[in-house]
Amino acid sequence: MSKFKKVVLAYSGGLDTSVILKWLIETYGCEVITVTADLGQPEDLDGVEEKALRTGASKAFVIDLREDMARDYVFPMMRAAARYEGRYLLGTSIARPCIAHALVDVARAEGADAIAHGATGKGNDQVRFEFAIKALAPDIQVIAPWREWNLMGRKELNAFAAEHGIEISSGAKRYSMDANMLHTSFEGSELEDPGNTPDACCHARCVPVEEAPDKPEFVEVGFVRGNPVSVNGEQLSPYDLIERLTTIAGRNGIGRDDMVENRYVGMKCRGVYENPAGTLLFAMHRDLEGICMDRDLLGIRDMLSVPYSHAVYNGFWFSPEREAMQAFFDKSQESVTGLVRAKLYKGGVWPVSRTSPYSLFSEDLATFEGGHYDHKDAAGFIRLNSLRLGLYSTIRNKLGN
């Protein structure tokens, strides 16, 4: 008797997940239901359902998660100003808990006893999917074919597909790529050697900076409680706003990063990432915080952004620590409301003006032209704050330092 009766498969329609679909049926004799997440990726999803059914799925769902991902995952992460290892804007990482939630919802609705994914045993995605599923549905088992089968390369996958009549794309892919509304990532090929320069074809959303317009473009983004809500005066939904800014930033060559990162499983990995909207929003959101957030509050927020980014990268979205940190970040963003205008030029973002009804900036205090600030007050401030330095000096002298 089969170990599993009904399995929900995270399905893209590509070679790997198409082979997994047939392999699950053969290996476990189970019913397989596919779930394809529409996350605003550039790929055309037309025909994915039909292909899944032809390959043997009993049901096939394509679920529109664009607004869900933008509102419930991307924007909370942006309120936290999260960047993994100071650079990576977590474009792939943030999609995984959103997909996992949809997989669990379908598994519950269909009475499935397992969820399967196509992440390999080397990468971070296996961890992200399985941590999220464990947090949301600890009773549902997970099947990770790449940790079970003996199909260890593209040659073996192609042979399996040919033997079982599975349709595969005739074009060879140069890179291993992942894409959603926020970003496109490139790995593999010449990028496997960190010493190699990326090939010229390694662009999808950001034009090369030398091909960006020779004239600067200006853009204005409105924020409410830390969330972007408008572009150039037009109110937009979360997904539509990201899509609009992706186009604007991308045509100016903004949002491309070539880096070596530390995977959670312990190895280093080189990737090229394009995240035009995220790069633009990060810079403009941070600029608005400069006039809206208290100094010490901003400092604590920046410290907490580091463990928060690790939680997102390592798959702990549905964890108590991420949720607790999120509550702090959301509280810190209550006054981050206003408009930021920025100049975009040849890959760069330069905020040029910012206004807010909750601005902490006081022209009366900051002006060089008089105002009500009494310069004499600074003398007492300096005396009190330097007391400990004088005491420490005596200790240094005793130690001979």
Side-chain angles (χ1 to χ4, degrees):
M1 186 174 179
S2 173
K3 182 179 180 181
F4 305 110
K5 294 181 179 180
K6 191 180 292 187
V7 177
V8 169
L9 169 65
Y11 180 76
S12 70
L15 174 62
D16 293 18
T17 55
S18 294
V19 168
I20 288 172
L21 169 51
K22 185 66 73 172
W23 179 87
L24 288 169
I25 295 170
E26 283 198 351
T27 303
Y28 294 108
C30 59
E31 177 185 347
V32 178
I33 299 167
T34 64
V35 173
T36 303
D38 181 356
L39 302 175
Q41 59 267 45
E43 291 84 1
D44 186 359
L45 297 179
D46 288 344
V48 170
E49 293 170 274
E50 292 79 2
K51 182 178 180 181
L53 295 172
R54 287 196 302 271
T55 309
S58 62
K59 293 182 181 179
F61 298 98
V62 175
I63 304 177
D64 186 350
L65 298 173
R66 292 174 296 177
E67 292 293 351
D68 299 71
M69 177 177 164
R71 180 188 62 246
D72 299 333
Y73 297 88
V74 174
F75 280 12
M77 181 181 70
M78 287 183 174
R79 294 196 296 271
R83 290 191 301 184
Y84 179 66
E85 297 187 332
R87 293 175 64 183
Y88 173 42
L89 288 169
L90 299 160
T92 295
S93 315
I94 197 59
R96 298 324 187 210
C98 180
I99 297 171
H101 203 297
L103 293 170
V104 169
D105 286 346
V106 173
R108 292 293 194 211
E110 296 293 330
D113 48 9
I115 293 172
H117 63 77
T120 73
K122 280 188 175 182
N124 297 307
D125 282 342
Q126 58 178 336
V127 177
R128 295 166 182 156
F129 279 127
E130 295 183 40
F131 282 1
I133 294 167
K134 189 69 173 178
L136 296 171
D139 57 305
I140 294 180
Q141 296 193 57
V142 176
I143 304 171
W146 278 98
R147 302 203 299 261
E148 296 184 25
W149 64 17
N150 58 1
L151 306 174
M152 290 294 107
R154 186 159 292 273
K155 181 179 179 181
E156 290 85 355
L157 292 174
N158 280 318
F160 185 98
E163 180 184 345
H164 293 81
I166 300 172
E167 305 167 38
I168 58 174
S169 172
S170 58
K173 290 177 62 177
R174 182 184 184 110
Y175 302 106
S176 173
M177 298 172 63
D178 178 73
N180 56 53
M181 69 180 72
L182 199 61
H183 94 137
T184 297
S185 65
F186 303 84
E187 293 180 348
S189 191
E190 79 278 354
L191 302 178
E192 292 189 342
D193 182 350
N196 289 335
T197 300
D199 188 85
C201 71
C202 181
H203 285 81
R205 301 190 180 199
C206 305
V207 302
V209 290
E210 60 270 19
E211 296 178 17
D214 294 327
K215 183 179 179 180
E217 179 174 358
F218 289 84
V219 63
E220 183 182 76
V221 175
F223 293 85
V224 174
R225 297 173 73 94
N227 294 314
V229 297
S230 66
V231 177
N232 294 330
E234 182 181 356
Q235 299 288 315
L236 296 167
S237 73
Y239 167 70
D240 288 340
L241 184 141
I242 289 173
E243 186 179 41
R244 181 75 57 84
L245 292 180
T246 293
T247 300
I248 294 172
R251 68 187 176 217
N252 286 283
I254 292 164
R256 188 172 166 84
D257 201 0
D258 180 346
M259 63 178 290
V260 174
E261 70 197 65
N262 292 292
R263 285 181 176 171
Y264 191 30
V265 294
M267 66 186 73
K268 290 185 180 291
C269 174
R270 191 266 189 97
V272 171
Y273 300 116
E274 293 184 330
N275 194 323
T279 302
L280 182 58
L281 285 170
F282 187 95
M284 299 180 79
H285 173 249
R286 182 57 190 246
D287 185 75
L288 182 61
E289 289 178 324
I291 63 171
C292 294
M293 288 182 70
D294 172 79
R295 178 192 67 186
D296 288 353
L297 176 61
L298 184 57
I300 295 171
R301 197 287 305 278
D302 286 346
M303 287 190 290
L304 279 179
S305 290
V306 175
Y308 182 97
S309 70
H310 282 256
V312 176
Y313 185 87
N314 294 336
F316 292 102
W317 181 263
F318 299 108
S319 67
E321 66 273 20
R322 200 283 306 177
E323 292 176 355
M325 286 187 284
Q326 191 72 60
F328 169 83
F329 293 130
D330 293 350
K331 176 67 178 178
S332 78
Q333 296 292 294
E334 286 181 342
S335 63
V336 183
T337 295
L339 296 171
V340 180
R341 189 167 183 261
K343 179 172 71 174
L344 317 181
Y345 182 66
K346 298 285 188 183
V349 182
W350 292 274
V352 295
S353 68
R354 70 289 302 157
T355 59
S356 171
Y358 306 115
S359 175
L360 294 171
F361 184 88
S362 170
E363 186 175 351
D364 180 68
L365 291 175
T367 181
F368 287 99
E369 306 299 330
H372 292 89
Y373 178 80
D374 188 344
H375 291 262
K376 296 177 182 178
D377 290 342
F381 174 83
I382 292 171
R383 280 196 299 272
L384 290 175
N385 280 278
S386 64
L387 279 176
R388 66 185 185 91
L389 300 180
L391 294 171
Y392 178 58
S393 175
T394 62
I395 301 300
R396 279 208 324 270
N397 292 334
K398 288 181 179 180
L399 294 172
N401 294 332

